[in-house]
Amino acid sequence: MSTIIEASPLEKKLPQEPLPTGDSCVLVIFGASGDLTKRKLVPGLYNLACVGCMNPQFEVLGIGRTPMSTEEFRKKTGESAASSKDTRDFSESQWKDFEKRLHYMVGDINDPNFYSQLRIRLQEMAKKGSSLNHLFYVSTPASVAGPIIEGLGAAGLNRRDRGWTRIVLEKPFGRDLKSAQALNEVVRGVFDEKAVYRIDHYLGKETVQNILVFRFSNSLFEPVWNRNDIDYVEITAAETVGVENRAAFYEETGALRDMVANHLLQLLALTAMEPPVAFDADSVREQKVQVFRSIRPMSVEDAARFTVRGQYGPGVIEGKRVPGYRQEPGVNPNSTTETYAAVEFHINNWRWAGVPFRIRTGKRLAQPLTQIRVHLKPTPQALFAGRPSQVDPNVITIKIQPDEGISIAFDAKRPGTQVRTVTVQADFSYQASFGSKGPVAYETLLLDSMRGDATLFTRRDEVEAEWSIITPIEEAWAQLPAPEFPNYAAGSDGPA
């Protein structure tokens, strides 16, 4: 039995914090005809424009291989924005105002001659009054990111005599330590590190950003956030969806590379890091890197003991029969790609020695859920020995999606003559407390990249430190006997 106690702001009516205005720039999107642009980037930009965050001199130049005119690009992205769950209060009149900022250019990003044509196009836009600042967004597979970066450098688009130049790189940043290091070398040869924004959209989520505030601004929690009082930490990212239309990508990636190597390691770092000296990019990222360096790379024996792989078979999701992973279009019928991964990490530093961090992620699980659960150690039970009810340890849950918030489970006495305990729960909900979920992740990150704030983006050494943890697991799995796949049904809680 549990009781819920609602947690609300002391100030009843909190005004919506106004978002800052981005710098003037031309946002050049490579892969503009792709899925990410339609589902996330354009809806995010449209939302920012509607709330007045766009500089009057902001424009988008989409680059894609799909032949279409600027008018067709505007029409297609408008249809996507109208149906996107990330778009707030879509209206035809506001879209008509916004779409004037959108332009399209057909180009083959693997053709070295294309980049001189791009330079000419940007020069022509500048003559007509467009911004001299350029923000390049590489929304393409990692395998073609290198040629794009080299092409921009060869055409002289990596630096500006007037105005600034920045580049945003989408995950995955490589597929292992060696490829990440090679890509970093390409980037270093063309762009200054301060101009490079490696994006992880989890870092733009409001609750993820709130982890540091929750930890370091509350004297109720900060003193117990260590090995003396915490028993173990669980970080879960469960999805009910399958691979959808990403079979080709997923076949060569898998759950470990797709989710653990970036999103979930970032959540681990924010949960475990030491307090930064300031909330600026270098201070925060330096403390995250120190966490990654404290995680010892796994041996084959460690991987056999501390990791689990899974792949979903046919099952039932929300009352509907769904196929197994091997029956999905584009998937090898004998595929050994994991759609579920669970790893127990140990952080070998003073604060966390002996505290396991248990991370798990999977597709086609019973419910969509992303959360961090911090389990505190039980109190000595001598006082309650022989009592008719069990005293449960306290749990702090940071809920990232679908319902953003924080809950704390603790024990209380039930009314009556006997000492019977019951778990009660103090719940804080962003939606209930503030009346708004705030900007979605891509809005925050796009705006930060326009403003030059890299706090929520990953640094070169951070990416390489993550792959230093993940690559030994992948190599160990290649040596260990492959599990009997599929080993969990769609709609279940995953493998044993």
Side-chain angles (χ1 to χ4, degrees):
M1 178 180 177
S2 68
T3 303
I4 296 177
I5 302 171
E6 291 188 2
S8 303
L10 295 178
E11 189 178 335
K12 290 299 181 184
K13 291 186 178 180
L14 290 171
Q16 185 70 34
E17 178 115 5
L19 295 174
T21 301
D23 294 354
S24 68
C25 67
V26 177
L27 172 61
V28 181
I29 302 176
F30 293 95
S33 56
D35 189 52
L36 181 68
T37 301
K38 291 183 288 187
R39 286 191 308 108
K40 297 293 184 181
L41 301 186
V42 169
L45 293 169
Y46 168 79
N47 290 341
L48 291 174
C50 289
V51 295
C53 292
M54 287 301 185
N55 190 288
Q57 261 191 306
F58 171 83
E59 294 174 273
V60 174
L61 176 59
I63 309 294
R65 298 180 67 174
T66 304
M68 72 175 102
S69 64
T70 288
E71 289 69 27
E72 290 173 313
F73 178 62
R74 291 173 176 175
K75 185 174 184 294
K76 287 188 175 182
T77 52
E79 291 170 350
S80 299
S83 59
S84 171
K85 62 180 178 62
D86 287 342
T87 304
R88 291 193 299 271
D89 303 324
F90 182 87
S91 78
E92 287 291 341
S93 60
Q94 287 181 310
W95 177 258
K96 288 297 180 185
D97 288 337
F98 173 74
E99 73 172 4
K100 297 172 186 175
R101 302 172 182 264
L102 304 180
H103 311 275
Y104 187 78
M105 180 180 180
V106 180
D108 183 354
I109 56 180
N110 294 309
D111 179 4
N113 297 320
F114 163 72
Y115 296 91
S116 58
Q117 300 168 18
L118 174 60
R119 184 186 69 240
I120 293 169
R121 177 68 178 269
L122 290 170
Q123 289 171 344
E124 291 172 348
M125 292 177 67
K127 289 177 182 177
K128 295 178 181 178
S130 295
S131 175
L132 297 175
N133 299 325
H134 295 158
L135 178 60
F136 298 104
Y137 197 115
V138 182
S139 174
T140 64
S143 57
V144 296
I148 291 173
I149 295 163
E150 291 172 330
L152 292 172
L157 290 169
N158 55 324
R159 290 178 176 85
R160 307 280 295 150
D161 294 330
R162 293 186 298 157
W164 51 254
T165 298
R166 300 178 190 131
I167 186 167
V168 179
L169 299 171
E170 265 288 346
K171 80 162 190 80
F173 197 83
R175 58 175 283 107
D176 54 24
L177 178 59
K178 186 176 179 180
S179 61
Q181 289 172 329
L183 185 53
N184 272 330
E185 283 301 308
V186 172
V187 173
R188 188 177 72 163
V190 178
F191 288 93
D192 294 331
E193 178 62 27
K194 289 188 179 296
V196 181
Y197 292 68
R198 298 171 185 84
I199 197 166
D200 184 332
H201 75 267
Y202 262 50
L203 296 181
K205 293 179 181 293
E206 196 66 41
T207 316
V208 173
Q209 297 173 58
N210 197 43
I211 293 173
L212 299 187
V213 175
F214 177 78
R215 285 187 55 194
F216 299 128
S217 71
N218 292 297
S219 57
L220 185 63
F221 306 112
E222 198 283 327
V224 302
W225 213 263
N226 54 56
R227 59 185 166 80
N228 296 322
D229 296 285
I230 290 178
D231 195 9
Y232 64 98
V233 178
E234 294 177 286
I235 303 177
T236 302
E239 300 178 275
T240 55
V241 298
V243 292
E244 298 177 298
N245 58 351
R246 302 167 68 223
F249 162 79
Y250 209 84
E251 270 290 86
E252 63 179 46
T253 305
L256 188 70
R257 288 190 179 101
D258 185 38
M259 292 292 290
V260 181
N262 38 72
H263 298 331
L264 299 189
L265 278 180
Q266 287 292 322
L267 295 183
L268 180 150
L270 291 170
T271 305
M273 64 184 270
E274 295 298 323
V277 296
F279 282 115
D280 58 37
D282 284 337
S283 299
V284 171
R285 295 191 292 189
E286 184 59 40
Q287 293 302 332
K288 288 195 290 179
V289 169
Q290 294 304 322
V291 173
F292 296 142
R293 289 174 179 165
S294 300
I295 298 175
R296 181 170 55 86
M298 289 192 186
S299 64
V300 175
E301 293 75 19
D302 290 335
R305 180 182 175 189
F306 294 119
T307 71
V308 174
R309 286 177 279 176
Q311 185 189 93
Y312 66 84
V316 178
I317 298 283
E318 298 176 351
K320 297 180 181 179
R321 296 288 305 176
V322 296
Y325 177 71
R326 292 178 174 180
Q327 289 78 52
E328 300 277 14
V331 172
N332 182 344
N334 300 309
S335 175
T336 57
T337 300
E338 81 282 356
T339 61
Y340 177 100
V343 185
E344 181 173 296
F345 289 114
H346 292 263
I347 302 172
N348 296 319
N349 62 19
W350 184 265
R351 182 184 290 263
W352 296 112
V355 178
F357 282 72
R358 295 167 182 159
I359 289 180
R360 58 176 172 264
T361 182
K363 291 192 173 293
R364 289 296 192 202
L365 295 176
Q367 59 178 324
L369 182 73
T370 302
Q371 64 180 16
I372 301 165
R373 287 173 62 83
V374 180
H375 296 254
L376 278 75
K377 291 181 177 179
T379 57
Q381 298 297 298
L383 178 64
F384 300 99
R387 298 293 179 180
S389 58
Q390 176 71 29
V391 177
D392 294 322
N394 304 142
V395 180
I396 300 169
T397 303
I398 301 172
K399 296 175 282 189
I400 295 163
Q401 59 186 29
D403 300 314
E404 296 184 327
I406 299 171
S407 69
I408 303 167
F410 58 96
D411 289 294
K413 178 186 175 297
R414 295 176 63 171
T417 57
Q418 296 189 53
V419 179
R420 293 178 180 267
T421 61
V422 62
T423 300
V424 297
Q425 191 162 289
D427 258 344
F428 159 65
S429 164
Y430 269 89
Q431 183 70 36
S433 297
F434 300 126
S436 170
K437 291 185 176 181
V440 297
Y442 271 98
E443 289 176 49
T444 299
L445 297 173
L446 285 165
L447 187 57
D448 281 355
S449 63
M450 292 177 213
R451 297 172 56 239
D453 185 349
T455 305
L456 301 179
F457 296 82
T458 53
R459 202 168 61 185
R460 170 184 176 146
D461 56 345
E462 198 175 340
V463 169
E464 292 182 9
E466 289 175 320
W467 281 119
S468 295
I469 298 166
I470 297 301
T471 299
I473 299 175
E474 291 282 358
E475 292 172 347
W477 282 357
Q479 298 179 51
L480 292 167
E484 289 293 327
F485 285 160
N487 59 353
Y488 72 96
S492 70
D493 291 328

